Amino acid sequence: MGDDLGDEWWAQEGNSDASEEETRQEKPPTEKTNKTKKPEKRKSVTEETVKAKKKKKTQQKECIIPKKKDTEDEKSTKPKRKRKKTITDVLSSSEPKPGSPADLQTLVTQYFADKLSVIEQEELKLLDSSFLSSNDLTHTLSSYLKQVCPKWSKIQKQHKEKSSVVLLIVCSSALRAIELIKQMTAFKGEAKALKLFAKHIKMEEQVKLLQKGVTHIGVGTPGRISALIEKEGLSLQALKYVVLDWNWRDQKLRRMMDVPEVKLDFMKLLQGGILNGCKENKVKFGLF
């Protein structure tokens, strides 16, 4: 019996030792498997974060795109306003044409069509003999004046009346008047020219200058010229020529008659005595 118990004990001990060795041998692979599993978890975490970021980006893009569509839809639904054509647009598209006596006549009749009676409108009509030859856009001011006033040297010597001029040059602005005075140096000779515009010059000063000595040429705006005639500071008794700066255009491509204020003042100037001088064949018009 004792021997049998001893054999059983030794068998149990051997089995336990064998099991311990098996467990020892089995443990390292488990550690390796654990070690290899850890990176898989990291990979899964990084993949999840990347996917989450992509989802956020796509969500942001999805949020932005509808706003752009809305703005484009709003723009498309809004009616586009057409810009009105101005005088500058019309004149820039048209080629410059020299003015003619018919242009002046139609301008006068159109302006007074709803202001005067039919009989009064008939009185405003000018004869062809009331016009000088017009500028064909090839002349300078001096060359044009020499053509229409060939006997200027004789006329200026005969003129001796104060507060009166022989030649009136009508333009749209003070700056243009100064420019025209410079341009006609070759024509005027010893004749005296006076600035007849309102900018920086009082009317009283102009009246005194007209009364002091003999003035041959007046260059200015229709508003100031008509005001001087109304106040009897300027007489039309010696007037022979009225030259309109008809073809010149400003920065906006407007001629003097395209400016409403200048056009209104010019019509007043015509009614102020110049038309009567034309009918009496004393005054003639020229379109420069």
Side-chain angles (χ1 to χ4, degrees):
M1 289 291 290
D3 292 331
D4 294 332
L5 291 169
D7 293 333
E8 289 177 3
W9 181 83
W10 283 109
Q12 288 177 359
E13 287 292 327
N15 292 328
S16 63
D17 292 335
S19 64
E20 283 178 0
E21 286 177 354
E22 287 175 359
T23 53
R24 285 175 186 175
Q25 289 174 357
E26 289 175 356
K27 280 183 181 179
T30 54
E31 289 177 0
K32 287 180 182 179
T33 52
N34 290 333
K35 286 180 181 177
T36 54
K37 285 179 181 179
K38 284 181 181 178
E40 288 179 359
K41 288 181 181 179
R42 288 179 184 175
K43 284 181 182 179
S44 62
V45 171
T46 53
E47 286 176 358
E48 286 176 359
T49 53
V50 171
K51 286 180 181 179
K53 287 179 180 179
K54 285 182 179 179
K55 284 182 180 179
K56 285 182 181 179
K57 287 180 180 179
T58 52
Q59 285 176 359
Q60 288 176 357
K61 287 179 181 179
E62 287 174 0
C63 294
I64 293 167
I65 290 165
K67 288 182 180 178
K68 288 182 179 178
K69 286 181 180 179
D70 290 337
T71 53
E72 287 174 359
D73 293 336
E74 286 176 1
K75 286 180 181 178
S76 61
T77 53
K78 285 181 181 179
K80 292 182 180 179
R81 293 183 180 178
K82 291 182 179 180
R83 190 172 66 87
K84 292 182 179 179
K85 285 186 177 181
T86 60
I87 295 172
T88 307
D89 296 330
V90 175
L91 293 176
S92 61
S93 60
S94 62
E95 294 181 358
K97 294 179 181 179
S100 63
D103 294 333
L104 178 59
Q105 189 64 65
T106 53
L107 183 74
V108 173
T109 53
Q110 287 175 1
Y111 181 81
F112 290 108
D114 56 347
K115 297 175 180 64
L116 301 175
S117 63
V118 177
I119 297 171
E120 289 173 334
Q121 289 180 34
E122 287 292 329
E123 293 177 356
L124 293 174
K125 287 185 178 180
L126 298 171
L127 300 173
D128 293 336
S129 59
S130 301
F131 290 94
L132 301 166
S133 61
S134 300
N135 179 21
D136 58 357
L137 304 181
T138 60
H139 285 283
T140 62
L141 181 59
S142 290
S143 64
Y144 175 72
L145 292 175
K146 285 178 181 179
Q147 180 182 344
V148 297
C149 308
K151 298 180 181 180
W152 174 249
S153 59
K154 184 180 179 180
I155 292 169
Q156 73 171 18
K157 287 178 182 178
Q158 292 176 349
H159 177 62
K160 295 179 181 180
E161 293 183 22
K162 294 181 180 179
S163 299
S164 182
V165 295
V166 180
L167 170 62
L168 264 179
I169 300 175
V170 186
C171 57
S172 58
S173 65
L175 293 173
R176 180 60 179 166
I178 294 169
E179 186 180 346
L180 290 173
I181 290 171
K182 292 177 182 178
Q183 287 182 13
M184 66 178 182
T185 304
F187 165 77
K188 71 175 184 176
E190 296 178 358
K192 184 181 177 182
L194 188 64
K195 302 170 186 175
L196 302 178
F197 50 78
K199 192 174 184 179
H200 305 307
I201 304 174
K202 293 181 180 179
M203 191 182 297
E204 291 78 11
E205 294 177 5
Q206 290 170 339
V207 173
K208 287 179 182 179
L209 289 171
L210 287 166
Q211 290 174 350
K212 273 185 181 180
V214 177
T215 305
H216 304 86
I217 305 169
V219 185
T221 56
R224 176 50 63 93
I225 294 171
S226 60
L228 287 167
I229 294 169
E230 286 177 4
K231 290 197 172 183
E232 297 181 353
L234 177 64
S235 174
L236 300 178
Q237 289 181 359
L239 184 64
K240 293 182 180 292
Y241 307 105
V242 177
V243 175
L244 306 179
D245 189 27
W246 187 273
N247 298 301
W248 181 80
R249 297 175 188 265
D250 60 10
Q251 291 180 350
K252 296 181 179 180
L253 301 177
R254 299 177 302 178
R255 296 169 298 183
M256 63 177 292
M257 294 304 170
D258 295 324
V259 184
E261 296 82 6
V262 177
K263 183 179 176 180
L264 177 63
D265 292 337
F266 176 71
M267 296 304 169
K268 289 180 181 178
L269 179 61
L270 287 180
Q271 290 180 307
I274 291 178
L275 279 176
N276 292 331
C278 290
K279 289 178 181 179
E280 293 172 1
N281 205 20
K282 293 180 180 180
V283 181
K284 292 189 177 184
F285 274 107
L287 304 182
F288 171 65

